Short mmCIF file of all heavy atoms in Angstrom, two decimals:
data_model
loop_
_atom_site.label_atom_id
_atom_site.label_comp_id
_atom_site.label_asym_id
_atom_site.label_seq_id
_atom_site.Cartn_x
_atom_site.Cartn_y
_atom_site.Cartn_z
N ILE J 1 -10.50 -7.05 -42.16
CA ILE J 1 -9.88 -5.69 -42.33
C ILE J 1 -10.60 -4.72 -41.46
O ILE J 1 -11.88 -4.59 -41.62
CB ILE J 1 -9.83 -5.34 -43.78
CG1 ILE J 1 -8.93 -6.17 -44.55
CG2 ILE J 1 -9.37 -3.79 -43.87
CD1 ILE J 1 -8.80 -5.74 -46.03
N ARG J 2 -10.00 -4.14 -40.54
CA ARG J 2 -10.60 -3.14 -39.60
C ARG J 2 -11.85 -3.72 -38.94
O ARG J 2 -12.81 -3.08 -38.75
CB ARG J 2 -10.95 -1.90 -40.38
CG ARG J 2 -9.75 -1.34 -41.16
CD ARG J 2 -10.03 0.13 -41.59
NE ARG J 2 -11.10 0.31 -42.59
CZ ARG J 2 -10.92 0.10 -43.87
NH1 ARG J 2 -9.86 -0.19 -44.33
NH2 ARG J 2 -11.98 0.30 -44.66
N GLY J 3 -11.73 -4.99 -38.54
CA GLY J 3 -12.78 -5.65 -37.83
C GLY J 3 -13.90 -6.27 -38.68
O GLY J 3 -14.81 -6.91 -38.16
N TYR J 4 -13.83 -6.06 -40.04
CA TYR J 4 -14.89 -6.59 -40.89
C TYR J 4 -14.37 -7.81 -41.61
O TYR J 4 -13.16 -7.82 -42.13
CB TYR J 4 -15.37 -5.51 -41.94
CG TYR J 4 -16.02 -4.34 -41.33
CD1 TYR J 4 -15.28 -3.19 -41.16
CD2 TYR J 4 -17.38 -4.37 -41.02
CE1 TYR J 4 -15.86 -2.08 -40.54
CE2 TYR J 4 -17.99 -3.29 -40.45
CZ TYR J 4 -17.27 -2.12 -40.34
OH TYR J 4 -17.88 -1.00 -39.65
N ARG J 5 -15.17 -8.82 -41.83
CA ARG J 5 -14.78 -9.96 -42.59
C ARG J 5 -14.92 -9.67 -44.07
O ARG J 5 -16.04 -9.23 -44.53
CB ARG J 5 -15.58 -11.21 -42.22
CG ARG J 5 -15.17 -12.49 -42.92
CD ARG J 5 -15.79 -13.69 -42.37
NE ARG J 5 -15.39 -13.95 -41.01
CZ ARG J 5 -14.18 -14.47 -40.63
NH1 ARG J 5 -13.34 -14.84 -41.61
NH2 ARG J 5 -13.90 -14.62 -39.41
N ILE J 6 -13.90 -9.80 -44.85
CA ILE J 6 -13.95 -9.43 -46.32
C ILE J 6 -13.82 -10.72 -47.08
O ILE J 6 -13.01 -11.60 -46.76
CB ILE J 6 -12.74 -8.53 -46.59
CG1 ILE J 6 -12.75 -7.28 -45.68
CG2 ILE J 6 -12.71 -8.15 -48.03
CD1 ILE J 6 -13.89 -6.39 -45.97
N GLU J 7 -14.56 -10.74 -48.18
CA GLU J 7 -14.49 -11.88 -49.17
C GLU J 7 -13.97 -11.28 -50.46
O GLU J 7 -14.76 -10.54 -51.07
CB GLU J 7 -15.87 -12.57 -49.28
CG GLU J 7 -16.25 -13.25 -48.00
CD GLU J 7 -17.77 -13.47 -47.93
OE1 GLU J 7 -18.47 -12.90 -48.72
OE2 GLU J 7 -18.16 -14.15 -46.93
N LEU J 8 -12.78 -11.50 -50.87
CA LEU J 8 -12.20 -10.97 -51.99
C LEU J 8 -12.92 -11.27 -53.24
O LEU J 8 -13.08 -10.49 -54.17
CB LEU J 8 -10.72 -11.38 -52.10
CG LEU J 8 -9.79 -11.01 -50.95
CD1 LEU J 8 -8.36 -11.45 -51.18
CD2 LEU J 8 -9.81 -9.52 -50.69
N GLY J 9 -13.43 -12.53 -53.30
CA GLY J 9 -14.21 -12.98 -54.57
C GLY J 9 -15.46 -12.15 -54.75
O GLY J 9 -15.84 -11.90 -55.91
N GLU J 10 -16.07 -11.66 -53.63
CA GLU J 10 -17.26 -10.88 -53.79
C GLU J 10 -16.94 -9.55 -54.41
O GLU J 10 -17.71 -9.06 -55.17
CB GLU J 10 -17.93 -10.69 -52.44
CG GLU J 10 -19.34 -10.10 -52.56
CD GLU J 10 -20.06 -10.11 -51.25
OE1 GLU J 10 -19.58 -10.61 -50.24
OE2 GLU J 10 -21.21 -9.72 -51.21
N ILE J 11 -15.79 -8.96 -54.04
CA ILE J 11 -15.36 -7.68 -54.62
C ILE J 11 -15.08 -7.86 -56.09
O ILE J 11 -15.45 -7.10 -57.00
CB ILE J 11 -14.17 -7.12 -53.88
CG1 ILE J 11 -14.43 -7.00 -52.44
CG2 ILE J 11 -13.68 -5.78 -54.41
CD1 ILE J 11 -13.26 -6.65 -51.52
N GLU J 12 -14.40 -8.97 -56.45
CA GLU J 12 -14.03 -9.19 -57.85
C GLU J 12 -15.33 -9.40 -58.65
O GLU J 12 -15.46 -8.94 -59.80
CB GLU J 12 -13.19 -10.44 -57.94
CG GLU J 12 -11.81 -10.26 -57.36
CD GLU J 12 -11.05 -11.51 -57.25
OE1 GLU J 12 -11.63 -12.68 -57.52
OE2 GLU J 12 -9.83 -11.46 -56.94
N SER J 13 -16.31 -10.10 -58.05
CA SER J 13 -17.62 -10.27 -58.75
C SER J 13 -18.32 -9.02 -59.00
O SER J 13 -18.90 -8.77 -60.06
CB SER J 13 -18.47 -11.28 -57.90
OG SER J 13 -19.69 -11.47 -58.56
N ALA J 14 -18.29 -8.12 -57.97
CA ALA J 14 -18.88 -6.79 -58.19
C ALA J 14 -18.23 -5.95 -59.20
O ALA J 14 -18.97 -5.25 -59.95
CB ALA J 14 -18.84 -6.03 -56.86
N LEU J 15 -16.95 -6.06 -59.34
CA LEU J 15 -16.23 -5.33 -60.42
C LEU J 15 -16.63 -5.83 -61.69
O LEU J 15 -16.82 -5.08 -62.75
CB LEU J 15 -14.74 -5.42 -60.24
CG LEU J 15 -14.19 -4.43 -59.13
CD1 LEU J 15 -12.76 -4.82 -58.78
CD2 LEU J 15 -14.23 -2.97 -59.64
N ARG J 16 -16.66 -7.13 -61.90
CA ARG J 16 -17.07 -7.73 -63.16
C ARG J 16 -18.49 -7.36 -63.55
O ARG J 16 -18.78 -7.04 -64.77
CB ARG J 16 -16.98 -9.24 -63.14
CG ARG J 16 -15.59 -9.83 -62.97
CD ARG J 16 -15.58 -11.37 -63.20
NE ARG J 16 -14.26 -11.96 -62.83
CZ ARG J 16 -13.97 -12.49 -61.58
NH1 ARG J 16 -14.89 -12.51 -60.70
NH2 ARG J 16 -12.76 -12.95 -61.43
N ALA J 17 -19.43 -7.29 -62.57
CA ALA J 17 -20.74 -6.91 -62.86
C ALA J 17 -20.87 -5.47 -63.24
O ALA J 17 -21.69 -5.02 -64.02
CB ALA J 17 -21.67 -7.20 -61.71
N ALA J 18 -20.02 -4.56 -62.61
CA ALA J 18 -20.03 -3.16 -62.92
C ALA J 18 -19.43 -2.84 -64.29
O ALA J 18 -19.81 -1.81 -64.88
CB ALA J 18 -19.30 -2.41 -61.81
N LEU J 19 -18.50 -3.70 -64.81
CA LEU J 19 -17.82 -3.44 -66.03
C LEU J 19 -17.91 -4.65 -66.95
O LEU J 19 -16.92 -5.24 -67.31
CB LEU J 19 -16.38 -3.04 -65.77
CG LEU J 19 -16.09 -1.86 -64.78
CD1 LEU J 19 -14.57 -1.89 -64.42
CD2 LEU J 19 -16.54 -0.62 -65.47
N PRO J 20 -19.13 -5.11 -67.35
CA PRO J 20 -19.24 -6.34 -68.02
C PRO J 20 -18.65 -6.36 -69.42
O PRO J 20 -18.21 -7.40 -69.93
CB PRO J 20 -20.79 -6.45 -68.12
CG PRO J 20 -21.35 -5.17 -68.04
CD PRO J 20 -20.38 -4.32 -67.10
N GLU J 21 -18.58 -5.17 -70.06
CA GLU J 21 -17.98 -5.16 -71.43
C GLU J 21 -16.56 -4.73 -71.53
O GLU J 21 -15.96 -5.07 -72.52
CB GLU J 21 -18.87 -4.19 -72.30
CG GLU J 21 -20.35 -4.59 -72.42
CD GLU J 21 -21.17 -3.61 -73.25
OE1 GLU J 21 -20.51 -2.62 -73.70
OE2 GLU J 21 -22.34 -3.90 -73.53
N SER J 22 -16.06 -3.94 -70.58
CA SER J 22 -14.74 -3.42 -70.63
C SER J 22 -13.62 -4.12 -69.85
O SER J 22 -12.48 -3.94 -70.04
CB SER J 22 -14.72 -1.97 -70.25
OG SER J 22 -15.18 -1.77 -68.94
N LEU J 23 -14.07 -4.99 -68.87
CA LEU J 23 -13.14 -5.71 -67.94
C LEU J 23 -12.96 -7.09 -68.43
O LEU J 23 -13.83 -7.93 -68.48
CB LEU J 23 -13.65 -5.63 -66.54
CG LEU J 23 -12.77 -6.18 -65.49
CD1 LEU J 23 -11.45 -5.44 -65.41
CD2 LEU J 23 -13.43 -6.14 -64.08
N ALA J 24 -11.70 -7.44 -68.65
CA ALA J 24 -11.31 -8.86 -69.08
C ALA J 24 -10.93 -9.66 -67.88
O ALA J 24 -11.44 -10.83 -67.74
CB ALA J 24 -10.20 -8.82 -70.08
N GLN J 25 -10.09 -9.17 -66.97
CA GLN J 25 -9.62 -9.91 -65.81
C GLN J 25 -9.52 -8.95 -64.59
O GLN J 25 -9.43 -7.79 -64.77
CB GLN J 25 -8.26 -10.54 -66.06
CG GLN J 25 -8.22 -11.63 -67.11
CD GLN J 25 -6.85 -12.14 -67.26
OE1 GLN J 25 -5.98 -11.40 -67.77
NE2 GLN J 25 -6.56 -13.37 -66.97
N VAL J 26 -9.70 -9.54 -63.39
CA VAL J 26 -9.57 -8.74 -62.14
C VAL J 26 -9.08 -9.63 -61.05
O VAL J 26 -9.34 -10.87 -60.97
CB VAL J 26 -11.04 -8.12 -61.87
CG1 VAL J 26 -12.00 -9.22 -61.67
CG2 VAL J 26 -10.77 -7.26 -60.51
N ALA J 27 -8.30 -9.03 -60.24
CA ALA J 27 -7.79 -9.65 -59.02
C ALA J 27 -7.78 -8.65 -57.90
O ALA J 27 -7.31 -7.52 -58.03
CB ALA J 27 -6.41 -10.33 -59.23
N VAL J 28 -8.31 -9.06 -56.74
CA VAL J 28 -8.34 -8.16 -55.56
C VAL J 28 -7.53 -8.83 -54.49
O VAL J 28 -7.66 -9.99 -54.19
CB VAL J 28 -9.75 -7.85 -55.03
CG1 VAL J 28 -9.71 -7.00 -53.83
CG2 VAL J 28 -10.55 -7.11 -56.16
N ILE J 29 -6.50 -8.16 -53.96
CA ILE J 29 -5.67 -8.61 -52.87
C ILE J 29 -5.68 -7.70 -51.62
O ILE J 29 -6.07 -6.52 -51.77
CB ILE J 29 -4.24 -8.96 -53.32
CG1 ILE J 29 -3.56 -7.63 -53.60
CG2 ILE J 29 -4.27 -9.84 -54.53
CD1 ILE J 29 -2.06 -7.78 -53.88
N ALA J 30 -5.21 -8.15 -50.57
CA ALA J 30 -5.07 -7.38 -49.35
C ALA J 30 -3.58 -7.29 -49.01
O ALA J 30 -2.87 -8.31 -49.05
CB ALA J 30 -5.83 -7.91 -48.19
N ARG J 31 -3.04 -6.09 -48.69
CA ARG J 31 -1.60 -6.00 -48.41
C ARG J 31 -1.49 -4.94 -47.18
O ARG J 31 -2.29 -4.03 -47.04
CB ARG J 31 -0.83 -5.44 -49.59
CG ARG J 31 -0.46 -6.43 -50.58
CD ARG J 31 0.37 -5.84 -51.68
NE ARG J 31 0.87 -6.81 -52.64
CZ ARG J 31 1.53 -6.58 -53.76
NH1 ARG J 31 1.74 -5.29 -54.03
NH2 ARG J 31 1.93 -7.46 -54.60
N GLU J 32 -0.51 -5.31 -46.36
CA GLU J 32 -0.13 -4.33 -45.38
C GLU J 32 0.64 -3.17 -45.91
O GLU J 32 1.61 -3.38 -46.72
CB GLU J 32 0.63 -5.03 -44.23
CG GLU J 32 -0.20 -5.88 -43.31
CD GLU J 32 0.59 -6.31 -42.05
OE1 GLU J 32 1.75 -5.98 -41.94
OE2 GLU J 32 -0.06 -6.89 -41.16
N VAL J 33 0.26 -1.98 -45.51
CA VAL J 33 0.94 -0.71 -45.96
C VAL J 33 1.68 -0.13 -44.80
O VAL J 33 1.14 0.09 -43.72
CB VAL J 33 -0.11 0.24 -46.53
CG1 VAL J 33 0.52 1.47 -46.97
CG2 VAL J 33 -0.92 -0.35 -47.65
N SER J 34 2.96 0.13 -45.02
CA SER J 34 3.79 0.77 -44.05
C SER J 34 3.38 2.25 -43.83
O SER J 34 3.07 2.89 -44.85
CB SER J 34 5.28 0.63 -44.38
OG SER J 34 5.50 1.30 -45.53
N GLN J 35 3.33 2.76 -42.60
CA GLN J 35 3.09 4.07 -42.38
C GLN J 35 4.36 4.89 -42.04
O GLN J 35 5.35 4.36 -41.49
CB GLN J 35 2.16 4.09 -41.10
CG GLN J 35 0.77 3.40 -41.29
CD GLN J 35 -0.09 4.13 -42.24
OE1 GLN J 35 -0.08 5.21 -42.41
NE2 GLN J 35 -0.95 3.31 -42.93
N GLN J 36 4.31 6.13 -42.36
CA GLN J 36 5.42 7.03 -41.97
C GLN J 36 5.47 7.11 -40.41
O GLN J 36 6.57 7.22 -39.94
CB GLN J 36 5.22 8.38 -42.54
CG GLN J 36 5.45 8.45 -44.08
CD GLN J 36 5.32 9.84 -44.55
OE1 GLN J 36 4.52 10.66 -44.05
NE2 GLN J 36 6.04 10.11 -45.62
N ASN J 37 4.37 7.07 -39.82
CA ASN J 37 4.35 7.15 -38.36
C ASN J 37 4.67 5.80 -37.75
O ASN J 37 3.92 4.91 -37.89
CB ASN J 37 2.96 7.64 -37.87
CG ASN J 37 2.88 7.87 -36.36
OD1 ASN J 37 3.80 7.60 -35.61
ND2 ASN J 37 1.75 8.35 -36.00
N GLN J 38 5.78 5.71 -37.13
CA GLN J 38 6.31 4.48 -36.59
C GLN J 38 5.38 3.93 -35.50
O GLN J 38 5.39 2.70 -35.16
CB GLN J 38 7.69 4.59 -36.06
CG GLN J 38 8.72 4.83 -37.24
CD GLN J 38 10.11 4.92 -36.76
OE1 GLN J 38 10.40 4.88 -35.59
NE2 GLN J 38 11.07 5.11 -37.73
N ASN J 39 4.63 4.74 -34.87
CA ASN J 39 3.70 4.38 -33.73
C ASN J 39 2.42 3.87 -34.30
O ASN J 39 1.56 3.38 -33.50
CB ASN J 39 3.47 5.59 -32.85
CG ASN J 39 4.73 5.95 -32.05
OD1 ASN J 39 5.54 5.14 -31.74
ND2 ASN J 39 4.89 7.24 -31.87
#
């Protein structure tokens, strides 16, 4: 993403570590977002 290699599992792991008591499940995905500007 934007020239950087992303590991989705590492983001999910960071979220679990940040919210150990309140978070039951987490999933991180990447999606393309359409822009209003067609260019």
Side-chain angles (χ1 to χ4, degrees):
I1 295 181
R2 307 195 296 277
Y4 295 99
R5 184 169 296 281
I6 304 294
E7 293 156 353
L8 301 180
E10 189 170 3
I11 303 172
E12 294 172 351
S13 179
L15 281 166
R16 293 190 188 96
L19 305 169
E21 298 181 357
S22 57
L23 184 61
Q25 293 177 294
V26 58
V28 177
I29 67 170
R31 280 183 176 172
E32 283 192 354
V33 178
S34 59
Q35 300 287 333
Q36 287 184 330
N37 184 354
Q38 295 180 353
N39 295 322

